[in-house]
Amino acid sequence: RAWMDELNFWKAAGADVVCVQEAGLGDDSGDVARARRWLRQWSKHYNVDVGFWFNAGPGGAASGLITLAFGQWAHRGRAHRSWADGRGLWTEFSVAGTALVIGNVYGPASGTPQEKADWRADVAWERTECIERGSRVAIFGDTNQKETREDVSHDQRVDPLLHAWLVEEEIRDAWRTRHGALPGLTRRVLLDGRPRGTRIDVGWLD
């Protein structure tokens, strides 16, 4: 039911492409098969074309990346590349004769500073490689790293290296660039009588 609620929400919102992290695939081919079946059932029921790409990398039940494309965008998806560690899924779309690569990324939550730095370097390398091929790049994901005090809750800390990296790589946060005075979007739903949140953690626009 949670899957169907999510799909209905994005359909009503008019989304073209959605990147999901912590999808619960857990490197399980059975989970991927079920997700594919649910997506096909939803697509048939609402007569909406849906393209979908998965990365069910290691990391337990909270892992897994899914990139969804709706309507005309479902037919624009081309090649994709999945990182073996489950932290990156890069899908190429053909838009008005040019290539647009959507990066769906998920940073290490409890890794060491070096592990976080290595992940940022991987993202930067992938992005640079796409740009050198003549593609435009947009990156969406959860860095599991906090750029400013406004991002911090509980006992979390700001990671000063994240901001420095964004500046160095000339990556702009789309939400802060366009809607800096507004809070991020959090959608609360009830699941088995308990509130659950679906949050846009980071939107990066190249």
Side-chain angles (χ1 to χ4, degrees), residues 40-204:
R40 291 190 179 107
Q41 289 174 351
W42 183 88
S43 173
K44 182 178 180 180
H45 179 77
Y46 287 100
N47 194 30
V48 175
D49 292 337
V50 182
F52 42 88
W53 298 265
F54 297 88
N55 186 347
S63 71
L65 304 174
I66 303 177
T67 298
L68 302 168
F70 300 95
Q72 294 182 352
W73 281 81
H75 305 286
R76 293 174 176 171
R78 299 292 185 265
H80 73 282
R81 178 153 59 188
S82 299
W83 290 357
D85 62 3
R87 297 196 176 279
L89 173 61
W90 302 76
T91 308
E92 182 178 301
F93 293 85
S94 177
V95 183
T98 63
L100 169 66
V101 176
I102 300 291
N104 185 354
V105 299
Y106 184 64
S110 57
T112 66
Q114 185 59 55
E115 288 172 330
K116 293 177 184 289
D118 290 344
W119 177 80
R120 291 194 295 263
D122 289 341
V123 172
W125 181 91
E126 190 81 45
R127 173 177 172 271
T128 299
E129 198 271 342
C130 292
I131 292 172
E132 289 178 348
R133 294 202 317 265
S135 301
R136 298 175 61 197
V137 182
I139 306 173
F140 301 90
D142 183 355
T143 66
N144 276 311
Q145 300 165 52
K146 310 301 179 182
E147 184 182 2
T148 70
R149 292 294 305 172
E150 287 75 17
D151 302 326
V152 173
S153 61
H154 307 301
D155 59 348
Q156 299 170 333
R157 298 180 179 178
V158 171
D159 186 341
L161 296 179
L162 175 62
H163 178 74
W165 175 70
L166 292 170
V167 172
E168 179 182 0
E169 295 297 327
E170 298 183 346
I171 297 175
R172 297 186 299 277
D173 186 310
W175 186 269
R176 285 197 172 96
T177 299
R178 297 180 179 272
H179 311 290
L182 300 176
L185 168 65
T186 297
R187 185 174 75 92
R188 295 292 180 185
V189 298
L190 288 178
L191 185 61
D192 297 327
R194 301 176 62 186
R196 296 287 297 274
T198 297
R199 186 176 68 255
I200 295 178
D201 291 290
V202 179
W204 292 341

